[in-house]
Amino acid sequence: MRLSELKTGQKAYITKVNGSGAFRKRILEMGFVRGQEVRSILNAPLKDPIKYEIMEYEVSLRRSEAVMVEISVLASDARGLTDLSEQLPEEEGLQNGHPLLYTGNGQGNGAAHTEKNIRVALVGNPNAGKTSIFNLASGAHEHVGNYSGVTVNSKEGRLTHNGYTFTLTDLPGTYSLSAYTPEELYVRKHILEEKPDVIVNVVSASALERNLYLTTELIDLEVPVVIALNMYDELEQSGRTFDHKTFSELINIPMVPTVGKRGEGIPQLLERVIDLYQQSEHTHVQVPYGRVPEKSIAIMERELAVTDTPRWKMPLRYVGIKLLEGDKEMERQVRQLPEQEKILARRDKERAYMEKLLREDPESAFTNARYGFIAGGLKETLSEKIHFTDNTKLIDTLVTHKYLGFPLFFLFLWVMFEATFRLGGYPMAAIEWLVGQLGNLVRGHMAAGPLKDLIVDGVIGGVGGVIVFLPNIVILYLFIAFMEDSGYMARAAFIMDKVMHCIGLHGKSFIPLIMGFGCNVPAIMATRTIESRSSRMITMFIVPFMSCSARLPVYILFVSAFFPSSGSLILLGLYAFGILIAALTARLFRNTLFKEEETPFVMELPPYRMPTLKSVTTHMWDRSRQYLQKMGGPILMGSIIIWFLGYFPYNQERETAFDKQIEQAEMQLAAGRISESQLEESISGIEHLRNTEHQVNSYIGRIGHFMEPVMRPLGFDWKISVSLLSGMAAKEIVISTMGVLYTGDSEDQQSLQQRLQTESHADGKPVFTPLVITGFLLFVLIYFPCIATIIAIREESHSWGWALFSVFYSTGLAWLVAFLVFQVGSLLM
């Protein structure tokens, strides 16, 4: 019987995992091992993927992957995990009354540390709470979310405790230390090359069996480890008890219960780190893999011992195990040795020997043994599970319902945009009024000259035009923070997997796309959690089509000015169009540039957790603070540069000529030939003509007119073209550029919206028609990602070629879409 045949609510026991490659290794590491109980929980709205419960946590698999797992409804038909004790060598006997644990020959670290600086690395599974502990311990404000892939790079913080200075490094979440995903290699490389003094293994207390798998690999590495039993309150609330002191003695690793979100247990954790740091020797246990694997490990150790041993930064036992498991990165290192052929030939011989005697591949044998090691220890220390009402299951029956799942998801998005547009409008109007008053104040009290023009038109007109959208940004990040911290983000990926499957990706790619609504840069970095390089590259290229918060001010400016009654629907439409473009691009790239077979969808579904006010506020403020920091950095500099290009070269003869025209008009008033109202109208016309001629002949005018032949088929004049050009640095600069270019000649600080509404061509026709506005908004949505995003693509793809490809593809596509909107629309209207 196959796992895909298991009906909702039924349970069974795993007998075998078929298939090969990275996918098989991953699900083995996630607990799909022989004898393990698995239960089918529910289907996604489109019947795929399926959510299963295993080892007290939830994971989603597609039917095409679940069919590779063989199951039996009878436990007796599945060989139990603890049966591995039969393979133990007879001389090992029992230790601590436990058949699966025995003490190895520990390698001492020499003299005790006397320095007061301790380097600590935080290592653990996704969703285990590493970053929460990191933030509380170090006082940092890193992003904390309830889904995998939040920490996509190492983060460093410092703190002092009892006279010691701790340097904490928060590493990406990983299920193991194999060569399966970039974050796994990154964590392993950090541990081996940076050699932290102590590793804090953060373990979710509510899913001990699965989380402790990573601990067994750290045991194999023989590194100093302290275990933080995080979210211990959830274990206690479930009614279970865990004798962590006894389990700690069995594996010879200190264990400290913690509640990261409240800071409970952090001081005790730091004390245990200090104690371990001060020890002169560390006695390590060894994971017993059974008679046959242990014999092969010993042979590999002897084979490796005659090589250039100083080159290995890890125990030879660990190297031997990884070679027998088929670790590609370890094999790559061995191929650099003179004895590579002899070592790899012996490895192949031992793998064949293991498969013949155990009737299973070495990867399964080692994984089963590690889980057997864990299960044996938990059997004596962890009480039986008490069945009680699971809020996660109750909520999931609603938000992943086959009929309600998608409507609820899109309803949530609509509410987010409605709140962003409507609620943000009130404080936005207040800030806009303050900016206008400040501009009028400076205009009325400074002497005329370049400095006044710089402050009023460059700084206040440019930066002030962008800062008014801060309330909208804050509200947007509030909703995104709630989605991430509650666990709903992972459910969005779950229900969208079938849709993503149609474009050649899977649900895990959906999380970086949703993150892209906030900022494209961390979203691109989050693609590291996608195992397949081809899927990772495609996701990286389509993330910029997600409307980041930098584009939101541009949208709101035009929507508020021209379509105020249907703002939220237009915003939703823009975001939906970005998703559509991303989907079509993904399908195109899957069929052309990246034809590699798609990656199976395996993703943990964390339990729902009520976001704390502190975490949501911190996340929201940190992102909003970055927006404010742009005001004093790139946006201010961009505004000044745009003003400079628009103000110079200064033509004194032309200015003198316009001044004489104004003097002549005033003389006509004095002679009684015209009235005061006629004088005001005449001066207004002269000033408008002066401003127009000045801008046309300025540096920025020359740049704009040089671009205009390319942009004119889109309906864009030179001012719009220059605004788009400046937006390549950061999309907010589009607004600050418009704030400078559309200052006009008014004597008061009018709002930018009013200026755009009244802007017209020389023939009196409005510049911003519905077709021009639509094409402009779509162009902003699609074209050139900001410079920071391009750099992120370069870093993650390790190629400037792919980064430049993203630039030309997105900008070319934006031009084509805007061209079709304007030209086809002009024919139909």
Side-chain angles (χ1 to χ4, degrees):
M1 183 178 179
R2 305 290 179 167
L3 182 60
S4 57
E5 301 171 32
L6 196 63
K7 295 182 179 179
T8 301
Q10 289 185 338
K11 70 175 183 179
Y13 300 89
I14 296 171
T15 58
K16 185 180 180 182
V17 178
N18 298 308
S20 61
F23 163 71
R24 182 172 183 274
K25 184 168 180 58
R26 168 44 53 88
I27 65 170
L28 285 172
E29 292 170 347
M30 294 183 76
F32 286 79
V33 293
R34 185 181 57 245
Q36 189 62 242
E37 181 182 301
V38 60
R39 185 186 301 270
S40 176
I41 303 298
L42 57 82
N43 295 337
L46 298 179
K47 299 295 183 181
D48 212 7
I50 307 171
K51 183 170 75 168
Y52 297 100
E53 182 182 44
I54 187 168
M55 289 190 177
E56 300 178 19
Y57 79 104
E58 295 174 353
V59 64
S60 62
L61 290 176
R62 285 184 183 152
R63 291 183 183 274
S64 57
E65 283 91 54
V67 76
M68 292 190 288
V69 180
E70 297 183 15
I71 58 173
S72 171
V73 294
L74 300 176
S76 58
D77 292 344
R79 187 181 176 190
L81 289 175
T82 53
D83 288 346
L84 286 167
S85 58
E86 297 172 3
Q87 298 183 32
L88 289 176
E90 295 177 4
E91 61 271 17
E92 288 170 6
L94 301 178
Q95 296 230 357
N96 296 320
H98 200 287
L100 295 175
L101 302 172
Y102 67 97
T103 305
N105 296 322
Q107 297 285 329
N109 286 355
H113 293 285
T114 57
E115 296 181 2
K116 294 288 186 177
N117 299 313
I118 309 177
R119 294 175 300 119
V120 178
L122 297 177
V123 177
N125 284 189
N127 309 311
K130 300 181 308 303
T131 305
S132 295
I133 292 178
F134 174 80
N135 287 344
L136 282 161
S138 65
H141 298 287
E142 294 299 339
H143 176 201
V144 178
N146 188 21
Y147 64 97
S148 65
V150 176
T151 306
V152 292
N153 207 337
S154 63
K155 302 178 180 71
E156 194 170 282
R158 293 180 182 273
L159 76 149
T160 57
H161 181 78
N162 281 1
Y164 284 84
T165 300
F166 292 80
T167 301
L168 298 180
T169 303
D170 182 23
L171 295 173
T174 176
Y175 292 102
S176 73
L177 299 180
S178 61
Y180 180 56
T181 61
E183 69 266 20
E184 291 175 348
L185 283 173
Y186 184 92
V187 172
R188 188 166 82 181
K189 184 177 179 181
H190 181 91
I191 293 173
L192 296 175
E193 295 186 358
E194 299 299 326
K195 293 191 177 299
D197 298 314
V198 177
I199 291 174
V200 172
N201 180 202
V202 182
V203 169
S204 173
S206 59
L208 285 170
E209 191 168 4
R210 188 254 303 167
N211 274 249
L212 287 170
Y213 182 87
L214 178 60
T215 308
T216 62
E217 293 208 89
L218 294 173
I219 290 173
D220 283 339
L221 271 176
E222 298 182 12
V223 290
V225 178
V226 175
I227 294 177
L229 291 170
N230 201 29
M231 295 180 277
Y232 201 75
D233 55 333
E234 294 184 8
L235 175 70
E236 294 176 328
Q237 291 168 7
S238 69
R240 307 186 75 180
T241 59
F242 178 46
D243 186 358
H244 60 85
K245 292 183 179 179
T246 300
F247 193 90
S248 173
E249 293 172 359
L250 289 172
I251 63 174
N252 199 33
I253 296 177
M255 305 184 82
V256 181
T258 61
V259 182
K261 62 183 179 182
R262 297 200 298 262
E264 296 176 9
I266 303 298
Q268 293 84 345
L269 179 65
L270 296 176
E271 288 295 332
R272 298 302 292 163
V273 170
I274 293 173
D275 292 343
L276 191 61
Y277 177 73
Q278 290 176 336
Q279 291 179 16
S280 59
E281 292 188 354
H282 302 291
T283 302
H284 301 279
V285 300
Q286 288 183 350
V287 178
Y289 291 108
R291 181 183 295 109
V292 174
E294 288 290 350
K295 182 179 178 181
S296 294
I297 293 171
I299 292 173
M300 290 305 301
E301 281 189 84
R302 289 197 297 270
E303 199 71 47
L304 292 164
V306 299
T307 63
D308 182 16
T309 52
R311 70 175 285 110
W312 301 107
K313 300 176 181 179
M314 61 202 96
L316 293 184
R317 174 181 171 85
Y318 181 80
V319 177
I321 292 170
K322 285 300 173 185
L323 285 174
L324 290 169
E325 284 185 314
D327 189 288
K328 299 298 183 184
E329 176 64 20
M330 200 66 69
E331 183 175 322
R332 186 188 65 79
Q333 293 189 37
V334 168
R335 290 191 183 279
Q336 299 174 12
L337 298 173
E339 307 89 345
Q340 58 157 312
E341 292 184 6
K342 183 180 178 183
I343 294 173
L344 295 177
R346 171 55 70 178
R347 187 276 308 268
D348 294 339
K349 183 177 180 180
E350 293 305 319
R351 280 178 59 89
Y353 167 77
M354 289 178 62
E355 287 191 42
K356 180 179 179 181
L357 292 186
L358 299 178
R359 297 190 299 278
E360 65 180 352
D361 60 276
E363 292 93 332
S364 298
F366 283 113
T367 304
N368 288 337
R370 290 188 182 110
Y371 274 115
F373 177 84
I374 298 164
L378 293 179
K379 187 175 181 180
E380 295 186 4
T381 55
L382 183 65
S383 64
E384 292 294 325
K385 184 177 180 180
I386 300 174
H387 293 283
F388 61 99
T389 303
D390 190 337
N391 292 329
T392 291
K393 290 188 176 67
L394 291 177
I395 298 173
D396 269 350
T397 56
L398 181 65
V399 300
T400 61
H401 191 271
K402 62 180 179 179
Y403 298 123
L404 300 177
F406 281 109
L408 286 174
F409 174 65
F410 290 110
L411 175 63
F412 182 87
L413 291 182
W414 178 82
V415 170
M416 178 173 72
F417 296 128
E418 181 73 10
T420 300
F421 184 75
R422 300 294 178 189
L423 297 182
Y426 300 106
M428 174 183 166
I431 297 175
E432 190 175 55
W433 180 82
L434 290 173
V435 170
Q437 293 300 110
L438 179 62
N440 291 331
L441 179 66
V442 174
R443 189 186 294 273
H445 290 81
M446 282 190 71
L451 181 61
K452 175 184 176 182
D453 293 339
L454 170 63
I455 294 176
V456 174
D457 299 332
V459 177
I460 297 177
V463 177
V466 179
I467 202 171
V468 298
F469 298 100
L470 177 63
N472 308 95
I473 301 297
V474 170
I475 294 172
L476 176 69
Y477 276 122
L478 174 66
F479 278 88
I480 293 177
F482 179 83
M483 288 178 68
E484 293 175 343
D485 293 356
S486 66
Y488 182 69
M489 185 76 86
R491 269 63 186 188
F494 176 71
I495 66 174
M496 289 295 294
D497 175 66
K498 187 73 171 182
V499 177
M500 300 297 289
H501 183 71
C502 295
I503 63 174
L505 296 173
H506 56 60
K508 194 176 286 188
S509 296
F510 191 68
I511 291 178
L513 299 183
I514 290 291
M515 291 178 66
F517 288 159
C519 180
N520 289 166
V521 175
I524 287 172
M525 294 174 67
T527 60
R528 293 180 188 176
T529 60
I530 301 171
E531 293 81 6
S532 166
R533 173 170 171 78
S534 62
S535 296
R536 189 161 64 247
M537 291 294 293
I538 294 174
T539 307
M540 204 181 301
F541 288 134
I542 67 176
V543 160
F545 297 130
M546 301 298 105
S547 289
C548 64
S549 59
R551 295 180 176 101
L552 184 62
V554 183
Y555 299 160
I556 291 178
L557 171 68
F558 279 85
V559 169
S560 300
F562 298 99
F563 313 106
S565 60
S566 54
S568 56
L569 290 177
I570 292 177
L571 283 178
L572 183 58
L574 284 168
Y575 280 73
F577 190 81
I579 294 172
L580 175 62
I581 290 292
L584 295 175
T585 297
R587 187 73 265 177
L588 173 66
F589 287 179
R590 176 61 75 186
N591 292 335
T592 55
L593 298 176
F594 304 99
K595 296 182 179 180
E596 180 185 320
E597 187 178 355
E598 55 204 350
T599 306
F601 179 58
V602 185
M603 188 180 71
E604 178 185 353
L605 296 174
Y608 288 102
R609 295 186 175 98
M610 178 58 67
T612 63
L613 179 62
K614 180 180 178 180
S615 67
V616 172
T617 305
T618 299
H619 179 201
M620 179 180 67
W621 169 243
D622 283 348
R623 296 299 188 188
S624 303
R625 183 184 60 190
Q626 293 175 15
Y627 182 78
L628 284 174
Q629 288 171 343
K630 285 186 180 181
M631 302 300 110
I635 292 176
L636 176 61
M637 291 302 299
S639 300
I640 293 174
I641 291 171
I642 294 297
W643 174 86
F644 178 87
L645 294 174
Y647 192 84
F648 294 100
Y650 189 82
N651 189 317
Q652 185 61 50
E653 293 183 4
R654 185 178 64 237
E655 295 299 317
T656 301
F658 281 116
D659 289 340
K660 286 183 178 180
Q661 291 181 29
I662 294 175
E663 289 178 6
Q664 291 173 358
E666 290 174 343
M667 291 172 62
Q668 288 180 329
L669 175 67
R673 297 174 187 171
I674 60 174
S675 63
E676 290 189 3
S677 61
Q678 289 176 320
L679 174 65
E680 290 179 2
E681 184 178 346
S682 178
I683 292 177
S684 176
I686 293 170
E687 290 292 353
H688 179 74
L689 184 61
R690 182 210 298 261
N691 184 67
T692 301
E693 282 198 27
H694 176 73
Q695 285 192 340
V696 167
N697 291 282
S698 65
Y699 293 127
I700 200 169
R702 296 172 188 176
I703 295 172
H705 284 91
F706 176 78
M707 296 174 58
E708 197 168 22
V710 178
M711 307 301 282
R712 177 58 67 183
L714 315 183
F716 300 166
D717 66 4
W718 71 268
K719 292 183 181 180
I720 298 176
S721 304
V722 168
S723 300
L724 292 171
L725 178 66
S726 67
M728 290 182 175
K731 292 299 179 286
E732 297 95 337
I733 300 181
V734 170
I735 292 180
S736 60
T737 303
M738 288 184 163
V740 173
L741 293 179
Y742 292 107
T743 50
D745 54 313
S746 60
E747 287 300 318
D748 63 342
Q749 190 75 6
Q750 291 181 323
S751 72
L752 182 54
Q753 290 179 1
Q754 292 174 316
R755 299 177 208 153
L756 297 178
Q757 290 168 343
T758 57
E759 187 70 13
S760 60
H761 294 293
D763 58 3
K765 294 182 179 180
V767 170
F768 293 100
T769 64
L771 284 179
V772 171
I773 296 169
T774 302
F776 175 77
L777 292 177
L778 291 177
F779 197 98
V780 171
L781 164 70
I782 301 170
Y783 89 118
F784 191 106
C786 68
I787 292 175
T789 301
I790 295 302
I791 293 174
I793 292 175
R794 188 267 166 213
E795 291 298 318
E796 296 305 314
S797 66
H798 307 292
S799 168
W800 274 113
W802 285 122
L804 293 176
F805 170 79
S806 176
V807 169
F808 289 114
Y809 174 78
S810 59
T811 305
L813 182 62
W815 190 93
L816 178 62
V817 170
F819 175 83
L820 292 175
V821 167
F822 184 74
Q823 296 297 335
V824 175
S826 298
L827 292 175
L828 297 177
M829 294 180 66

